[in-house]
């Protein structure tokens, strides 16, 4: 009898008369679900074995530099993992595999033999190991299994070395077939195993690490080798210390102490654009899922001199050299035909940044249920779109059906510039946070009506020039920017609310002020950026506290920031709160468009309380 289990937990079907080949199954809560071989070659949402791809680095054996100390290319750096070799590297390695067992068979003649193999579509991604005492050796598709083996029983381990990346090529399912030849009789049996999908984390899961760019003092030089061993440590930037201090204070107020983590970027502070965090999970011991954190590197091709060896944005490399380890995998995918296309990548490459990908938390509508949440990304279906291989990877997973939302009207093009999510005291447990330029304009007009229009638009900072509220309301760039943004957000929100089934009471509207980006000779026209700090571009801690940039807005008659007060009231209405973070100098004022708290940070999330995707 052949019995299968996910990971280290074994489930066996009860014995029955010949035919002797049975496949064990589980209902995924650890109890035996004994049945005969009928249907064992099928996998459904109710039954069937699951395994994670063995992409982590349990023993931190993957090199960050070459044998001579040279810098490894991007593909070479990404190629290493526990599944890259053809051996079983101890007990930790086995936890990421599926256990197979051929039970001892009676009545087997001396000439009997057997073979066990995986289907052709899975052959490049799956391998089998046979146990001999405490050791495992690779089992080839043509390696014979003798009569003595069959009489004694055989333990095997099934390993997957990747996620499905293109469901039309390989759909993420592995069919394992056992064929036994005994005299003139040939019997066979089959089991189907699903490789767990790569699920991107949503923001209701509590923060485990809040990751910010290293300023050169926190991360050792050896750990920076992943991106450039010869690079000097970057300087400490204006506002960086205040930014970090407020992040720490916000985390403490959220009950998340000591979560700030440094990540080397070579002076590229835009952490959210380097990678996005996900996970893969399978049933584990005692009914507790075995979970692997997965870091999906951004597919942004460097617009300045990308090469076949070093195609991608450099600051994404430390996902392999610094963060990859035990139960933490790092993967990448990109389209090679974009390498070297500097002009194209300069204009459109930003749409491939992982800041252009967010995840709506779990929800259900009359159209469907999304127990792991749903991926949203910015795209107009043309040039203003993420790398197609990146989108194809997300689509192939099958559980978070990515939804495209038009963000081509934004200069940077990232969906997180106008949309995010926060916890809420409602039936779904969360609400959408949406930038509202009409609300921003109304607040400024209200100040003018109260005789407060002569104050500067930005408070607490020295601005040159120092625009007043009245001047802002008459500014052609701001008027046109708010018009473009309003149209873009309304269109995007119509798509999102229909797909997610959101009612107006489940939307937190925060004031925003946009400006049109007018650059002579620039091919992209009619695009905008946030003129005042984007409150919406924040980070939900997962505990009811939203980390957002201090807006430095104009003051009401009571001397309070009208933008901040309005946002706090909106969050409070759904049972959430804001922890303000100073990020003007370090984020908002940088470059042409800048960025806020979400752009400047990244996270790994605690999935221990996340509902197992196979139980939903």
């Amino acid at each position: 009898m052949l019995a299968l289990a996910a990971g280290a937990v074994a489930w066996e079907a009860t014995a029955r008369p010949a035919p002797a080949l049975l496949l064990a199954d589980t209902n995924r809560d650890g109890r035996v679900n004994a049945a005969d071989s009928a249907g064992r070659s099928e996998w459904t949402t109710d039954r069937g074995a699951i395994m994670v791809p063995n992409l982590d680095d349990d023993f931190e054996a993957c090199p960050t530099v070459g044998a001579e100390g040279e810098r490894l290319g991007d593909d070479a750096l990404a190629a290493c993992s526990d599944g890259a070799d053809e051996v079983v590297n101890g007990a930790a390695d086995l936890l990421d595999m599926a256990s197979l067992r051929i039970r001892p068979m009676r009545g087997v003649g001396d000439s009997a033999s057997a073979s066990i193999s995986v289907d052709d579509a899975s052959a490049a991604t799956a391998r089998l190991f046979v146990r001999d005492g405490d050791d495992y050796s690779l089992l080839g598709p043509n390696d014979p299994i003798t009569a003595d083996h069959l009489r004694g029983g055989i333990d095997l381990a099934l390993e997957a070395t990747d996620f499905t990346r293109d469901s039309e090529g390989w759909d993420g399912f592995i069919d394992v077939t056992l064929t036994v030849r005994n005299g003139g009789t040939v019997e066979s049996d089959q089991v189907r195993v699903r490789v767990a999908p790569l699920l991107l984390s949503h923001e209701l899961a509590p923060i485990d690490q809040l990751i910010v760019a290293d300023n050169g003092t926190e991360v050792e030089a050896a750990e920076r080798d992943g991106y450039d061993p010869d690079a000097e440590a970057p300087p400490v930037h204006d506002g960086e210390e205040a930014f970090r201090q407020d992040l720490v204070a916000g985390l403490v107020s959220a009950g998340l102490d000591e979560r700030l983590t440094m990540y080397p970027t070579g002076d590229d502070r835009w952490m959210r654009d380097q990678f996005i965090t996900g996970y893969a999970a399978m049933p584990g011991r005692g009914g507790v899922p075995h979970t692997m954190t997965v870091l999906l590197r951004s597919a942004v091709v460097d617009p300045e001199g990308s090469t076949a060896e070093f195609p991608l944005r450099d600051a994404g490399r430390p996902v392999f050299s610094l963060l990859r380890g035990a139960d933490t995998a790092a993967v990448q995918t990109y389209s090679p035909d974009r390498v070297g296309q500097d002009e194209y990548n300069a204009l459109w490459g930003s749409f491939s940044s992982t800041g252009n990908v967010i995840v709506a938390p779990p929800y259900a509508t009359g159209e469907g249920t999304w127990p792991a949440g749903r991926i949203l990304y910015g795209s107009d279906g043309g040039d203003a779109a993420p790398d197609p291989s990146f989108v194809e990877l997300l689509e192939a997973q099958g559980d978070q059906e990515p939804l495209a939302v038009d963000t081509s009207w934004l200069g940077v093009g990232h969906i997180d510039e106008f949309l995010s999510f926060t916890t809420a005291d409602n039936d779904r447990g969360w609400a959408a946070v949406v930038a509202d330029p009409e609300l921003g304009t109304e607040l400024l007009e209200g100040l003018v009506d109260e005789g407060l229009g002569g104050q500067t638009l930005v408070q607490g900072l020295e601005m040159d020039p120092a625009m007043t509220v009245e001047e802002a309301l008459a500014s052609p760039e701001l008027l046109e920017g708010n018009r473009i943004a309003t149209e873009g957000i309304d269109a995007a929100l119509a798509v999102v609310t229909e797909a997610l089934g959101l009612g107006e009471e489940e939307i937190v509207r925060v004031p925003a002020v946009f400006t049109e980006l007018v650059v002579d000779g620039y091919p992209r026209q009619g695009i905008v950026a946030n003129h005042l700090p984007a409150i919406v571009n924040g980070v939900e801690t997962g505990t009811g506290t939203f980390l957002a940039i201090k807006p430095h807005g104009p003051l009401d008659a009571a001397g309070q920031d009208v933008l901040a007060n309005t946002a706090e009231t909106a969050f409070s209405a759904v049972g959430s709160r804001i922890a303000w973070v100073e990020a003007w100098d370090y984020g908002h004022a940088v470059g042409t468009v800048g960025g806020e708290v979400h752009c400047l940070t990244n996270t790994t999330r605690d999935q221990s309380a996340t509902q197992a995707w196979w139980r939903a």
Side-chain angles (χ1 to χ4, degrees):
M1 178 176 69
L2 180 68
L4 180 137
V9 184
W11 294 275
E12 296 181 354
T14 56
R16 70 184 185 104
L21 300 180
L22 290 178
L23 296 173
D25 199 1
T26 176
N27 57 11
R28 305 190 187 126
D29 64 2
R31 292 182 289 113
V32 170
N33 181 14
D36 62 19
S37 59
R40 296 297 189 177
S41 61
E42 299 179 1
W43 195 100
T44 72
T45 55
D46 298 319
R47 60 183 290 174
I50 302 165
M51 61 188 296
V52 296
N54 196 14
L55 290 170
D56 60 348
D57 183 14
D58 286 320
F59 301 98
E60 300 183 1
C62 290
T64 59
V65 295
E68 303 298 323
E70 73 276 14
R71 193 174 187 224
L72 292 175
D74 285 356
D75 290 342
L77 193 63
C80 185
S81 69
D82 285 345
D85 57 26
E86 295 185 345
V87 298
V88 175
N89 298 295
D93 219 7
L94 285 171
L95 287 177
D96 298 330
M97 302 184 190
S99 300
L100 299 172
R101 179 164 173 76
I102 304 174
R103 294 289 300 275
M105 297 180 63
R106 299 185 298 272
V108 173
D110 292 342
S111 63
S113 65
S115 62
I116 186 166
S117 61
V118 300
D119 61 289
D120 290 343
S122 305
T125 313
R127 58 172 68 103
L128 286 161
F129 296 94
V130 61
R131 181 179 179 180
D132 182 10
D134 293 331
D135 299 323
Y136 284 81
S137 59
L138 186 66
L139 180 67
N142 298 316
D143 290 348
I145 297 173
T146 67
D148 288 341
H149 289 145
L150 291 173
R151 294 186 187 114
I154 303 172
D155 289 315
L156 304 109
L158 174 66
E159 179 181 52
T161 60
D162 204 357
F163 294 100
T164 174
R165 295 179 182 239
D166 175 5
S167 57
E168 294 184 1
W170 174 59
D171 59 8
F173 291 91
I174 302 172
D175 292 325
V176 183
T177 301
L178 171 67
T179 302
V180 178
R181 297 169 180 83
N182 185 20
T185 302
V186 178
E187 290 184 292
S188 65
D189 213 341
Q190 187 178 86
V191 66
R192 168 160 281 200
V193 184
R194 181 179 181 184
V195 176
L198 168 54
L199 302 174
L200 299 188
S201 302
H202 60 76
E203 297 197 346
L204 295 193
I207 288 175
D208 183 48
Q209 295 174 297
L210 184 67
I211 304 170
V212 297
D214 171 39
N215 66 5
T217 63
E218 302 289 347
V219 177
E220 296 295 329
E223 294 178 316
R224 295 199 297 268
D225 286 351
Y227 67 91
D228 190 348
D230 299 319
E232 295 182 2
V236 178
H237 295 283
D238 291 343
E240 185 173 357
E241 183 177 357
F243 170 68
R244 292 194 193 189
Q245 288 177 346
D246 281 355
L247 284 180
V248 171
L251 289 170
V252 170
S253 73
L256 300 169
D257 297 10
E258 300 182 359
R259 304 299 171 102
L260 198 66
T261 300
M262 304 301 127
Y263 172 105
T265 62
D267 207 22
D268 184 343
R269 72 193 70 188
W270 308 114
M271 277 304 314
R272 176 66 186 198
D273 293 340
Q274 313 309 330
F275 63 91
I276 189 167
T277 301
Y279 64 97
M282 62 188 276
R285 290 190 180 100
V288 178
H290 171 56
T291 302
M292 180 182 293
T293 298
V294 182
L295 309 173
L296 177 57
R297 185 183 182 184
S298 165
V300 173
V301 174
D302 194 324
E304 297 181 1
S306 58
T307 66
E309 188 175 14
F310 300 103
L312 301 179
R313 187 171 180 169
D314 217 39
R317 289 170 58 88
V319 297
F320 302 104
S321 62
L322 182 64
L323 298 182
R324 177 173 55 189
D327 293 332
T328 298
V331 297
Q332 69 182 27
T333 185
Y334 63 95
S335 298
D337 59 1
R338 292 192 170 189
V339 178
Q341 303 296 320
D342 290 359
E343 182 177 356
Y344 177 88
N345 293 323
L347 287 173
W348 307 107
S350 177
F351 287 86
S352 292
S353 295
T354 40
N356 191 29
V357 181
I358 59 177
V359 182
Y363 70 97
T365 70
E367 302 299 320
T369 300
W370 307 94
R374 191 165 185 190
I375 295 169
L376 310 176
Y377 68 94
S379 172
D380 70 349
D383 286 331
D387 184 299
S389 68
F390 189 92
V391 175
E392 188 174 59
L393 169 65
L394 299 179
E395 290 176 339
Q397 308 312 307
D399 286 75
Q400 292 180 307
E401 185 182 0
L403 176 68
V405 178
D406 188 3
T407 58
S408 60
W409 48 276
L410 284 161
V412 175
H414 294 183
I415 194 171
D416 68 350
E417 295 176 77
F418 67 91
L419 178 65
S420 59
F421 302 97
T422 189
T423 58
D425 293 335
N426 57 25
D427 289 342
R428 69 171 66 212
W430 57 270
V433 184
V434 179
D436 190 336
E438 289 187 326
L439 176 58
T441 299
E442 290 174 7
L443 293 176
L444 299 185
E445 290 174 341
L447 292 175
V448 171
D449 291 343
E450 295 176 15
L452 300 172
Q455 65 176 307
T456 57
L457 181 66
V458 176
Q459 293 285 312
L461 298 169
E462 292 187 8
M463 306 297 296
D464 186 18
M467 180 185 295
T468 66
V469 172
E470 290 175 335
E471 290 169 340
L473 288 170
S475 166
E477 289 81 11
L478 269 61
L479 288 170
E480 183 63 5
N482 282 331
R483 185 195 67 78
I484 294 170
T486 297
E487 289 185 358
I489 292 170
D490 285 350
L493 196 57
V495 173
V496 171
T497 53
E498 180 179 1
L500 274 56
L502 287 169
E504 183 61 33
E505 71 282 359
E506 296 170 314
I507 298 174
V508 177
R509 295 183 179 271
V510 295
V513 176
F514 287 83
T515 185
E516 183 183 20
L517 297 174
V518 181
V519 182
D520 291 340
Y522 189 65
R524 295 183 62 208
Q525 297 295 316
I527 55 177
V528 305
N530 279 280
H531 181 73
L532 291 181
I535 297 170
V536 69
N537 187 261
V539 176
E540 171 56 49
T541 61
T543 64
T545 297
F546 188 85
L547 306 175
I549 186 172
K550 291 179 181 177
H552 287 280
L555 308 181
D556 60 19
Q560 300 298 312
D561 184 327
V562 65
L563 303 180
N565 275 359
T566 301
E568 287 177 352
T569 300
F571 271 78
S572 178
V574 298
S576 186
R577 61 179 290 270
I578 297 176
W580 296 109
V581 177
E582 179 54 65
W584 183 287
D585 288 336
Y586 187 56
H588 180 73
V590 176
T592 303
V593 293
E596 281 74 37
V597 175
H598 197 257
C599 296
L600 291 166
T601 63
N602 214 317
T603 61
T604 61
R605 300 273 174 173
D606 180 358
Q607 304 295 341
S608 60
T610 300
Q611 183 181 23
W613 59 271
W614 59 88
R615 292 177 181 158

